[in-house]
């Protein structure tokens, strides 16, 4: 019997250098995909997968994230007084329950492994999810669920640890964590190895770690000791590699679409995809795009 996945970690301390100057004074996680901050889309995905407690590992200049997941009394009061009940209800539906969020700070940019480790006391001794906030996923395949829900399903089947993967072109693998594939069941497979940012031409496959993880709490003790890896940072992949010596890891090929909103093209594509999936916008957006594209 596997334990239920109740808590998720969102490492949101990143500087967003790929998106300057937009991210000079706005956290990159607060840029919007249609009408919701990128981070809200990712929190929605976690909530759909059954997550009840949202742990944000933030940093300097990110206080607005905390405000976003809180009440905004003046705004809510004004909306009600002006009869904007629909807008008010939408805000209330997004608001996490009291006590369902935690915020801690990663004081220095020491890497993703370090960011996850910062959440150790809040997570405690239970398996948990990690969602990288740059990656926005969309249900569009046969399974009609976003990525984390598919990972939770795989976890319920296999236990252990689960990582979502995507396919990239061989010349792009050096930018990611890459996994080696063992017994392959199609939608899921056994992971037999992993490497963070392999040198060009050396990646064991074209399946990259795409930003959704389910991990056992044993990862924390490992992350505490793991040496700096690729880019001089404490890498989550290096910690997982160590944990894989003692515990099983399975990969999930997400049946749907993932957008890397940390890149300009990915961000624009996410906006286009979410606009086309929005019943209030789809028709006019499609027509406008047709005109624009000639
Ligand atoms: C991180 C992870 C990497 C993963 C990637 C997905 O890298 O370390 O394993 O493939 O996210 O975007 P980063 O993008 O922080 O360099």
């Amino acid at each position: 019997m596997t334990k239920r996945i109740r808590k998720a970690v969102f490492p949101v301390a990143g500087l967003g250098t790929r998106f300057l100057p937009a991210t000079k004074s706005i956290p990159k996680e607060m840029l919007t995909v249609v009408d919701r901050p990128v981070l809200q889309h990712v929190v929605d995905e976690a909530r759909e997968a059954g997550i009840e407690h949202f742990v944000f590992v933030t940093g300097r200049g990110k206080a607005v994230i905390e405000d976003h997941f809180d009440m905004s009394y003046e705004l809510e009061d004004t909306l009600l007084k002006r009869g904007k009940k629909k807008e008010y209800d939408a805000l209330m539906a997004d608001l996490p329950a009291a006590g369902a969020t935690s915020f801690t700070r990663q004081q220095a940019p020491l890497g993703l492994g370090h960011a996850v480790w910062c959440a150790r006391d809040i997570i405690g001794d239970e398996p948990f999810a990690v969602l990288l906030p740059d990656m926005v996923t969309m249900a569009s395949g046969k399974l009609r669920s976003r990525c984390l829900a598919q990972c939770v399903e795989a976890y319920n089947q296999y236990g252990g640890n689960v990582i979502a993967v995507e396919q990239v072109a061989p010349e792009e693998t050096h930018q990611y964590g890459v996994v080696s594939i063992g017994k392959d069941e199609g939608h899921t497979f056994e992971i037999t190895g992993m490497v963070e940012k392999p040198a060009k031409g050396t990646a064991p496959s074209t399946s990259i770690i795409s930003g959704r993880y389910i991990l056992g709490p044993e990862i924390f003790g490992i992350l505490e000791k793991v040496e700096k890896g690729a880019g001089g940072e404490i890498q989550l992949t290096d910690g997982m590699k160590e944990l894989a010596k003692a515990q099983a890891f399975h990969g999930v090929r997400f049946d749907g679409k993932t957008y890397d909103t940390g890149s300009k093209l990915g961000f624009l594509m996410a906006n286009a995809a979410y606009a086309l999936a929005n019943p209030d916008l789809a028709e006019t957006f499609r027509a406008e795009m047709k005109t624009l594209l000639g």
Side-chain angles (χ1 to χ4, degrees), residues 112 132 135 175-177 196-197 208-211 213 235 237:
L112 178 59
L132 302 193
M135 300 307 219
Q175 304 168 44
Y176 299 98
E196 183 66 22
K197 314 244 164 41
I208 60 124
I209 299 172
S210 67
Y213 310 76
Q235 295 291 352
T237 304

Side-chain angles (χ1 to χ4, degrees), residues 265-279:
L265 185 63
F267 177 78
L268 293 170
M269 291 306 295
N271 267 288
Y274 269 88
L276 289 170
N278 181 320

Side-chain angles (χ1 to χ4, degrees), residues 5 7 21 23 34 68 78 115 122-123 147 153 212 258 260 286:
I5 306 299
K7 298 182 182 175
T23 50
V34 184
H68 178 76
T78 307
I122 304 171
I123 297 296
C147 190
E153 207 161 287
R212 301 293 183 265
T258 302
D260 178 3
R286 196 184 296 274

Side-chain angles (χ1 to χ4, degrees), residues 220-238:
F220 292 122
I222 294 173
L223 289 174
E224 192 164 340
K225 292 192 211 105
V226 85
E227 308 253 326
K228 285 182 181 168
E233 296 188 340
I234 296 170
Q235 295 291 352
L236 181 58
T237 304
D238 293 340

